[in-house]
Amino acid sequence: MGELLKNYDVWGAIWTTIQLAVLSAIGATVIGTIVAIMRVSPVAVLRGLGTSYVNIFRNTPLTVLLVMSVLGLAFILGLSFSDDFARNAYWWAVAMLSLYHAAFICEALRSGINTVPAGQAEAARSIGLTFSQSLSQVLLPQAFRGAVAPLVSTYIALIKNTTVAAVIGVTDIAGLLQEITENEGAQLGIFFMVAMVFVVLTLPLGVFGTSLSRRLAVKR
Amino acid sequence: MNARRIGAVTAAAAIALGLAACGSSDSGSGSGSSGSASADAPTGKKIKIGTKFDQPGLGLKKGTEMSGFDVDVATYVAKELGSNAGDIEWVQAVSAQRETLLSSGQVDMIVATYSITDKRKEQVSFAGPYFIAGQDLLVRADESAIKGKADLDGKKLCSVKGSTPAQKVKDEIPGVNLQEFATYSECVAGLVSKAVDAVTTDDTILAGFAAQDQFKGKLKVVGQTFSTENYGIGLKKGDTEMCTKVTDAINKMIKDGDWEKAVQKNFGPAGYKPSDQNPPTPAACA
């Protein structure tokens, strides 16, 4: 194990995985919230757009999205983040992980919004709040609370899905695993180590999420 | 009443499936190298061989048909071991799973562009080499600026994530701009769309792509190898008896000209000529 740490940039790879996870989680949350708002908005066109977004990104395999981003968008259409292939792949991975998981974040939030009784939205409008005011002051704060559990599941899935970024050449922990396997042969210990990295990353999130959802639960 | 009817339908379906299974295994037996129909007939001595399913010219599965140089070598060796083409069960051997497939006994041997290295010898035994390949470059046919490894500085290169050739260019050419994918097909697609300048890996693999119908005349192998890859047949660690038999089979294949025929058949269309070190002399089994 010590030799492994000496010969390979294990910490660098773990750091890349964490970066991918954090940046994509932020991106997915922002995009997901916007799409969720579109899906509950009173404008039919926006609702339609939001629904199509979710259906397209939730039903396309992440591998296909990633390969398409580099092979199709960057190589054929010239939409590159950077002339350096490694940087380009990294940012496309962040972009596609964000877009993909935004669909799931949106649905988690929408399920949260659905936990708020319709009467509250009606009450908010009837005391004169606008759509955006009732959304930001009344509905979303409660929706986020109700959505904590599904949101945490989505973030855990996102952390594990960062491994797919290796298909476009990002040297995250999964990419490094391929390198080590090529040189040293497949070894159970190395797979176990990689699994442990993900347990360390995701387990606290799950525990935190459970206690958070208990503390934040809306008492009705 | 209903139950009986369902039972009848199920039985009919089962028989149909059984027949279909027979049919497919029959047609599969015709996929070997050059043997006649009688030589392909199953003898009952089953053998499981691991190979690549996605590398044109080496190991390619199209429908139930297997083709490629590795497949031809494996078929010949299997025959020497007493199994005809019809007895072979082809198992996909992805690079990362080769050691596991052997040590767990899921395959009897692996013929899959498997380079003999000291690290791998710690986990598996090798017979061979049966072919000596080398890292080379695949470029577009009109490319004139890339003639070898020395021209790669600052060029856009593509290879498979984590593979030995990818690691080698990263270590030896610091200025190279390397894109990595999961498979070589994606790299070749990038090369054709002019997003990358060259694809690098073993010359055998590159020649296989250059010989594919859709790329004929569009791509060429540079032909300046800068590494030596000794392809061996992977066997379960310590099985010296099997190793000796396989080595004898390789020697026989080289001597009676079938080796040369297989090279011509699989690499000829790409205009690729194996390096002077070929045909190799298999090493003695330890």
Side-chain angles (χ1 to χ4, degrees):
Chain A
M1 201 61 104
E3 201 176 321
L4 214 63
L5 289 172
K6 203 172 68 200
N7 292 344
Y8 299 95
D9 187 12
V10 178
W11 298 116
I14 294 174
W15 178 228
T16 307
T17 296
I18 295 172
Q19 280 176 314
L20 280 180
V22 171
L23 290 173
S24 315
I26 295 170
T29 310
V30 172
I31 302 168
T33 310
I34 295 170
V35 179
I37 292 170
M38 284 166 76
R39 287 204 72 175
V40 297
S41 76
V43 185
V45 177
L46 291 182
R47 277 203 305 273
L49 278 176
T51 310
S52 336
Y53 179 94
V54 169
N55 281 333
I56 289 169
F57 281 95
R58 193 174 55 175
N59 297 323
T60 312
L62 185 55
T63 317
V64 173
L65 284 175
L66 283 166
V67 171
M68 190 191 72
S69 69
V70 172
L71 215 50
L73 299 178
F75 279 10
I76 294 172
L77 298 180
L79 299 169
S80 288
F81 282 101
S82 160
D83 284 336
D84 178 34
F85 280 145
R87 290 317 289 168
N88 182 48
Y90 175 86
W91 285 111
W92 267 118
V94 171
M96 283 303 169
L97 282 166
S98 300
L99 289 171
Y100 176 76
H101 290 95
F104 294 90
I105 298 272
C106 162
E107 290 304 276
L109 280 181
R110 213 162 58 89
S111 78
I113 291 171
N114 287 338
T115 63
V116 183
Q120 293 211 13
E122 288 161 7
R125 297 308 294 270
S126 69
I127 60 168
L129 298 183
T130 62
F131 170 71
S132 52
Q133 277 174 333
S134 64
L135 197 67
S136 62
Q137 303 300 317
V138 180
L139 296 177
L140 278 185
Q142 296 188 71
F144 270 111
R145 289 165 166 225
V148 167
L151 279 177
V152 167
S153 299
T154 308
Y155 289 130
I156 289 176
L158 185 150
I159 292 174
K160 292 187 290 179
N161 283 345
T162 56
T163 50
V164 183
V167 301
I168 54 169
V170 179
T171 307
D172 66 336
I173 191 77
L176 186 76
L177 177 67
Q178 288 177 8
E179 232 165 80
I180 297 176
T181 312
E182 169 89 6
N183 297 344
E184 323 276 334
Q187 288 168 18
L188 215 54
I190 297 167
F191 288 121
F192 188 70
M193 185 196 83
V194 171
M196 282 313 292
V197 167
F198 282 98
V199 170
V200 168
L201 289 177
T202 54
L203 202 60
L205 193 61
V207 173
F208 173 71
T210 310
S211 79
L212 198 68
S213 69
R214 230 179 256 138
R215 270 191 288 134
L216 291 182
V218 182
K219 306 235 163 27
R220 290 203 178 93
Chain B
M1 266 313 158
N2 214 2
R4 190 179 288 173
R5 199 174 288 167
I6 290 169
V9 170
T10 316
I15 290 166
L17 279 174
L19 288 176
C22 288
S24 68
S25 73
D26 277 349
S27 65
S29 68
S31 60
S33 55
S34 51
S36 64
S38 62
D40 284 353
T43 60
K45 194 169 180 284
K46 294 277 177 216
I47 186 164
K48 285 187 199 148
I49 302 178
T51 189
K52 297 273 173 78
F53 278 11
D54 59 352
Q55 260 163 20
L58 289 156
L60 185 70
K61 186 175 187 179
K62 246 187 189 168
T64 54
E65 293 271 304
M66 295 294 301
S67 67
F69 183 69
D70 279 345
V71 170
D72 290 350
V73 169
T75 310
Y76 188 97
V77 170
K79 202 165 172 206
E80 291 301 308
L81 294 176
S83 302
N84 281 334
D87 300 312
I88 300 173
E89 185 187 326
W90 298 103
V91 178
Q92 182 166 24
V94 184
S95 292
Q97 291 170 359
R98 290 181 295 205
E99 292 82 18
T100 319
L101 284 172
L102 282 170
S103 59
S104 63
Q106 290 177 68
V107 296
D108 299 307
M109 62 164 101
I110 284 186
V111 192
T113 64
Y114 204 2
S115 295
I116 303 174
T117 65
D118 289 340
K119 273 265 164 60
R120 286 173 182 162
K121 274 189 194 162
E122 290 169 13
Q123 294 183 45
V124 298
S125 288
F126 283 104
Y130 61 89
F131 194 86
I132 295 178
Q135 188 172 352
D136 207 330
L137 300 163
L138 182 71
V139 294
R140 289 182 291 275
D142 57 2
E143 180 70 64
S144 55
I146 300 174
K147 294 196 180 67
K149 188 183 150 196
D151 304 320
L152 288 177
D153 200 33
K155 287 285 190 299
K156 295 180 200 160
L157 209 58
C158 189
S159 195
V160 160
K161 180 79 201 158
S163 65
T164 308
Q167 294 182 40
K168 204 173 154 71
V169 289
K170 256 197 273 187
D171 289 344
E172 295 180 10
I173 313 162
V176 79
N177 192 359
L178 181 69
Q179 171 67 50
E180 292 171 285
F181 281 119
T183 65
Y184 291 112
S185 316
E186 289 158 319
C187 278
V188 174
L191 182 66
V192 171
S193 71
K194 302 199 172 159
V196 298
D197 300 320
V199 178
T200 185
T201 183
D202 298 354
D203 49 3
T204 45
I205 298 171
L206 298 176
F209 279 108
Q212 278 195 308
D213 285 338
Q214 67 265 44
F215 301 128
K216 237 174 225 165
K218 289 185 191 153
L219 305 174
K220 65 177 181 195
V221 180
V222 169
Q224 290 290 325
T225 57
F226 45 96
S227 79
T228 308
E229 305 295 335
N230 293 300
Y231 287 173
I233 295 181
L235 302 165
K236 195 164 188 160
K237 173 96 181 142
D239 195 346
T240 319
E241 196 195 331
M242 177 83 158
C243 177
T244 314
K245 280 188 204 159
V246 173
T247 307
D248 289 346
I250 298 170
N251 273 322
K252 194 174 167 210
M253 185 176 185
I254 293 170
K255 218 168 78 191
D256 69 10
D258 278 22
W259 184 91
E260 185 62 37
K261 263 186 237 159
V263 167
Q264 283 308 323
K265 184 180 130 205
N266 294 297
F267 300 133
Y272 162 71
K273 288 206 170 50
S275 70
D276 317 335
Q277 292 149 297
N278 285 300
T281 318
C285 289

